[in-house]
């Protein structure tokens, strides 16, 4: 039963990704995106946090924002500097340190009636085989999921809603197809001519589905 639920969530992720291929109206979404730290900068993650297993010294970022396109998605505003984040956490045998940057976004991106908390940087010290998702859970509870195991909130924010569509979205400024380099890994693809969400955006949402599925499955396994 547990594996069936996990597999169902992974299939849901595939269904979400499949939306990129069909016609759709231009639409923005309010959601958590996932980023890889690259030196002092950020790159849109091409793999979900449930499957990424960062090495000691890596930095992972999460940003809450409104976006219709991963190429325009807001990056975490704090620098991806491991030394600054984890300087006060001593190394331990059998453990690794992962810098975690959590950017709750701007007031303009917040759901109605909510104010985003201040951005946080945390140093997660976790098992050597831990995923980025497990590092997040170690430093930013409570996490909230929906019935399909989609990650909806980090550290209790936002209080409600989950990857909701935002009303009154504007048409994209350009309908040009993405370049081959941008589309190759699906991480920075621009919106297509139909105005629908990019492969990078739906892939990012799908990745968070897998994060939720893995976390819920692991929690149930431990309780059992």
């Amino acid at each position: 039963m547990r594996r069936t639920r996990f597999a169902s969530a992974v299939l849901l992720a595939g269904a979400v990704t499949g939306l990129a291929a069909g016609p759709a109206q231009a639409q923005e979404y309010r959601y958590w995106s996932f980023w890889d730290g690259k030196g002092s900068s950020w790159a849109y993650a091409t793999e979900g946090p449930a499957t990424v297993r960062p090495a000691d010294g890596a930095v992972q970022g999460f940003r809450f924002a409104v976006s219709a396109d991963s190429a325009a998605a807001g990056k975490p505003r704090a620098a991806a500097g491991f030394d600054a984040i984890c300087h006060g956490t001593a190394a331990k045998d059998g453990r690794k340190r992962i810098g975690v940057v959590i950017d709750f976004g701007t007031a303009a991106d917040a759901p109605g009636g909510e104010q985003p908390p201040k951005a946080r940087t945390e140093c997660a010290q976790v098992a050597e085989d831990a995923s980025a998702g497990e590092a997040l859970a170690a430093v930013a509870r409570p996490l909230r999921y929906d019935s399909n195991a989609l990650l909806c909130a980090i550290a209790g924010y936002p209080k409600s809603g989950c990857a909701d569509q935002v009303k009154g979205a504007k048409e994209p400024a350009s309908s040009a197809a993405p370049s081959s380099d941008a589309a190759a890994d699906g991480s920075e693809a621009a919106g297509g001519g139909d105005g629908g969400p990019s492969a990078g955006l739906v892939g990012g949402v799908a990745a968070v589905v897998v994060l939720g599925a893995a976390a819920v499955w692991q929690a149930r396994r431990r309780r059992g």
Side-chain angles (χ1 to χ4, degrees), residues 35-43 59 75-76 78-81:
W35 300 81
D36 293 323
K38 301 293 183 182
S40 60
S41 61
W42 297 100
V59 178
K75 300 178 181 180

Side-chain angles (χ1 to χ4, degrees), residues 33 44 57 89 100 129 137 141 149 187 191 204-205 224:
S33 57
Y44 200 90
T89 303
V100 179
D129 64 346
R141 294 180 179 177
S187 64
V205 174

Side-chain angles (χ1 to χ4, degrees), residues 170-219:
K170 296 180 180 179
E171 292 291 329
S174 171
S175 60
S179 68
S180 57
D181 288 342
D185 62 9
S187 64
E188 295 292 342
D194 62 9
S198 71
L201 173 62
V202 294
V205 174
V208 178
V209 172
V210 178
L211 163 63
V216 171
W217 179 75
Q218 288 173 355

Side-chain angles (χ1 to χ4, degrees), residues 6 9 12 32 49-50 62 131-164 205-220 222-223:
F6 176 74
L12 173 63
W32 281 100
F62 295 84
S131 68
E134 290 171 317
L136 174 66
V139 297
R141 294 180 179 177
L143 305 180
R144 178 169 57 83
Y145 302 89
D146 73 357
S147 60
N148 295 311
L150 174 66
L151 179 64
C152 307
I154 296 175
Y157 181 82
K159 295 179 181 178
S160 62
C162 197
D164 295 334
V205 174
V208 178
V209 172
V210 178
L211 163 63
V216 171
W217 179 75
Q218 288 173 355
R220 288 171 177 166
R222 289 165 182 163
R223 287 198 299 266

Side-chain angles (χ1 to χ4, degrees), residues 108-136:
D109 289 339
E114 294 198 54
Q115 288 293 325
K118 292 182 179 180
R120 291 169 49 181
T121 58
E122 304 283 353
C123 187
Q125 192 161 61
V126 291
E128 290 182 330
D129 64 346
S131 68
E134 290 171 317
L136 174 66

